Structure formats: structure tokens, C-alpha cells
Amino acid sequence: MVQKAKILLVDDRPENLLALEAILSALDQTLVRASSGEEALKALLTDDFAVILLDVQMPGMDGFETAAHIKRRERTRDIPIIFLTAINHGPHHTFRGYAAGAVDYISKPFDPWVLRAKVSVFVELYMKNCQLREQAALLRLQLESGRAGAGETSESAGLLAELSARLAAVEEQAEALSKQLDESADAAAIATAAHLERKLTGLRRALDALEPGTDNGAA
């Protein structure tokens, strides 16, 4: 069963959080509320998130300060942040959002369809990365199994074939997602997808090295 991705919604106004939940409920993912920057940072200590929707204007710790804390942490620095703001002070204000680490900056009132589409891209990328980590874990098990004993050739070959098939499925999905991003041209999402493709390429090379007939150190 594929685990749902978590999306962090940060806003001090309950009505805004309710509106975001209504817009994003169609994605069928887990939506987590935070009513302040401090509450958001606390949630990020224990859970992994695909993307963060962060309100700029909040009492106490505002969105810019919250983002700065998120980007300083090793665990959370790579989580995409989409800033939501009801004000627009021009290019300088927008630049401050990007400088704080945001991948996007959307002014309210925003188009619900556009917001949902942007969030769905980052959810897809997150899910692909989760799949990639699973394949890497299986590959490590295969390598350890190969070192443990060369007598279980048929069993190892079967596992290798299963790994290759699973990786091929992820590669196919990643390729389709890259084509979709080429059409929508979101620079941050495209860069994340390219990083995912590089990881897939490295994993495929490692897997190919285990194929029978390849020189991997066996006598």
C-alpha cells in the first residue's frame, strides 16, 4: 500500500486553513494544520512533509522567519515551501520570499486550481523519491545477500529481476512526470525532477552491475 504524503498548512487564521483544506482535499493526501511558525517547526521535528504552504503575515514568528528556521535544519532544508500572502509590496517583497527559500510565491486571492496543480507536482516528486529510497534499500539487501553466499544463484537472480522491474516502473513514472513538467515549466520542480532522474540513473547502473556475466568481483 502506498503511504499518503503529508502537506503542512501554516496560517494563523482558521478560516484560511479551512479554505486550503477544501482546495487540497481532492489530492487525497494527509493535510496537517499549524496555526503559527512555532507550531509548524514542532510538526517538522517528527514528520516528513512533501511540501509546506506558509502564510507570510503571522503574529510573532512570520513566514520569512519560519522559512529561515526550516532551511537551517538538515532534516527539513529540502522541503519545498510555497509562500501565500495577502499583500504585495512589489518585486522587493517577492524577492525576499525567494531569498528565504521559497520555491513559489502566490498572492491571495489565488486560483484554487493553480494552487492545487502546483502542490500536486511536489507531492508526485516526493512520492517518487520515497519509491527510489525503497528500491535503494532493496538493492543494498541484494548486495549483502550476494556477499553472504554465491550458492543461492537462482534466488538472487529472482530478486534481481524483481528489483529491475520495480525500478523500471519508477523510471517510467519519472519520465512521464518530467514531460509534464516540461510543459508547465516550473523551474524549482524541474530542478527537483532532474535530481530524481540522476538518482535513478545511479541506481540503475548499480543494479546492472549485479547482472550475471558482469564483472563484480566474483570468481
Side-chain angles (χ1 to χ4, degrees), residues 185-202:
D186 186 300
I190 290 173
T192 306
H195 180 64
L196 174 61
E197 286 185 356
R198 287 194 295 272
K199 284 186 174 182
L200 282 169
T201 300

Side-chain angles (χ1 to χ4, degrees), residues 21-198:
E21 287 176 336
I23 292 169
L24 300 176
S25 60
L27 299 179
D28 193 28
Q29 304 300 326
T30 302
L31 306 177
V32 178
R33 284 187 175 203
S35 57
S36 66
E38 292 85 354
E39 192 176 332
L41 294 175
K42 189 178 297 184
L44 288 161
L45 286 173
T46 54
D47 289 323
D48 294 323
F49 291 90
V51 61
I52 302 168
L53 273 63
L54 180 58
D55 184 44
V56 171
Q57 283 188 299
M58 293 186 294
M61 186 185 296
D62 67 10
F64 296 127
E65 189 179 352
T66 302
H69 281 288
I70 292 171
K71 292 302 177 182
R72 278 199 293 265
R73 292 179 180 176
E74 180 72 27
R75 175 188 172 93
T76 59
R77 65 176 52 169
D78 294 326
I79 302 176
I81 298 173
I82 298 177
F83 271 138
L84 304 175
T85 178
I87 59 173
N88 187 0
H89 293 310
H92 176 74
H93 194 262
T94 304
F95 174 77
R96 188 182 173 193
Y98 287 116
V103 297
D104 213 337
Y105 197 98
I106 302 177
S107 297
K108 303 174 185 177
F110 44 77
D111 186 325
W113 186 91
V114 171
L115 180 64
R116 188 162 53 241
K118 287 178 179 290
V119 171
S120 70
V121 168
F122 289 107
V123 168
E124 282 193 69
L125 288 171
Y126 173 81
M127 301 298 279
K128 297 298 179 292
N129 271 303
C130 288
Q131 287 180 296
L132 183 58
R133 283 195 294 270
E134 289 174 5
Q135 308 313 314
L138 284 170
L139 179 57
R140 281 194 295 271
L141 287 174
Q142 169 64 25
L143 286 168
E144 291 169 4
S145 176
R147 294 191 190 103
E152 302 172 352
T153 307
S154 60
E155 183 179 344
S156 296
L159 180 55
L160 193 59
E162 182 182 352
L163 276 170
S164 183
R166 290 190 183 193
L167 181 57
V170 178
E171 288 170 332
E172 184 178 348
Q173 292 169 345
E175 183 180 356
L177 181 58
S178 294
K179 289 179 180 177
Q180 175 188 335
L181 291 176
D182 286 340
E183 296 172 1
S184 59
D186 186 300
I190 290 173
T192 306
H195 180 64
L196 174 61
E197 286 185 356
R198 287 194 295 272

